[in-house]
Short mmCIF file of all heavy atoms in Angstrom, two decimals:
data_model
loop_
_atom_site.label_atom_id
_atom_site.label_comp_id
_atom_site.label_asym_id
_atom_site.label_seq_id
_atom_site.Cartn_x
_atom_site.Cartn_y
_atom_site.Cartn_z
N THR A 72 305.84 201.97 92.60
CA THR A 72 305.67 202.82 91.43
C THR A 72 305.76 201.97 90.17
O THR A 72 306.20 200.82 90.20
CB THR A 72 306.73 203.94 91.40
OG1 THR A 72 306.40 204.87 90.38
CG2 THR A 72 308.12 203.37 91.15
N GLY A 73 305.32 202.52 89.06
CA GLY A 73 305.40 201.80 87.79
C GLY A 73 306.03 202.68 86.74
O GLY A 73 306.23 203.89 86.95
N ASP A 74 306.33 202.09 85.60
CA ASP A 74 306.93 202.86 84.51
C ASP A 74 306.02 204.01 84.07
O ASP A 74 306.50 205.02 83.54
CB ASP A 74 307.22 201.95 83.32
CG ASP A 74 308.33 200.95 83.61
OD1 ASP A 74 309.11 201.19 84.56
OD2 ASP A 74 308.40 199.93 82.90
N GLU A 75 304.72 203.84 84.28
CA GLU A 75 303.77 204.87 83.84
C GLU A 75 304.01 206.20 84.56
O GLU A 75 303.70 207.27 84.02
CB GLU A 75 302.33 204.40 84.10
CG GLU A 75 301.90 203.20 83.28
CD GLU A 75 302.38 201.88 83.89
OE1 GLU A 75 303.03 201.90 84.97
OE2 GLU A 75 302.09 200.83 83.29
N LEU A 76 304.52 206.17 85.79
CA LEU A 76 304.70 207.38 86.57
C LEU A 76 306.06 208.05 86.35
O LEU A 76 306.23 209.23 86.65
CB LEU A 76 304.53 207.08 88.07
CG LEU A 76 303.17 206.54 88.50
CD1 LEU A 76 303.14 206.40 90.02
CD2 LEU A 76 302.05 207.45 88.04
N ARG A 77 307.03 207.27 85.86
CA ARG A 77 308.38 207.81 85.69
C ARG A 77 308.83 208.51 86.98
O ARG A 77 309.35 209.63 86.97
CB ARG A 77 308.44 208.79 84.53
CG ARG A 77 308.07 208.22 83.18
CD ARG A 77 309.06 207.14 82.70
NE ARG A 77 308.89 206.84 81.29
CZ ARG A 77 308.07 205.92 80.81
NH1 ARG A 77 307.31 205.20 81.65
NH2 ARG A 77 307.97 205.70 79.52
N ALA A 78 308.63 207.84 88.09
CA ALA A 78 308.96 208.40 89.40
C ALA A 78 309.83 207.43 90.19
O ALA A 78 309.81 206.22 89.95
CB ALA A 78 307.68 208.71 90.17
N GLU A 79 310.58 207.95 91.14
CA GLU A 79 311.42 207.11 91.98
C GLU A 79 310.58 206.28 92.95
O GLU A 79 310.96 205.17 93.32
CB GLU A 79 312.41 207.98 92.76
CG GLU A 79 313.42 208.71 91.89
CD GLU A 79 314.34 209.60 92.70
OE1 GLU A 79 314.45 209.37 93.93
OE2 GLU A 79 314.94 210.52 92.13
N GLN A 83 306.06 210.32 94.92
CA GLN A 83 307.04 211.39 94.69
C GLN A 83 306.36 212.68 94.24
O GLN A 83 306.75 213.77 94.64
CB GLN A 83 308.06 210.95 93.65
CG GLN A 83 309.18 211.97 93.44
CD GLN A 83 310.22 211.52 92.45
OE1 GLN A 83 310.03 210.55 91.71
NE2 GLN A 83 311.36 212.20 92.42
N ARG A 84 305.34 212.56 93.40
CA ARG A 84 304.62 213.73 92.91
C ARG A 84 303.11 213.57 93.09
O ARG A 84 302.33 214.24 92.39
CB ARG A 84 304.94 213.95 91.42
CG ARG A 84 306.41 214.21 91.13
CD ARG A 84 306.64 214.52 89.65
NE ARG A 84 306.27 213.39 88.79
CZ ARG A 84 307.13 212.42 88.44
NH1 ARG A 84 308.38 212.44 88.88
NH2 ARG A 84 306.73 211.44 87.65
#
Side-chain angles (χ1 to χ4, degrees):
T72 190
D74 292 340
E75 295 81 1
L76 299 185
R77 299 295 195 271
E79 295 178 20
Q83 184 178 13
R84 299 184 297 270

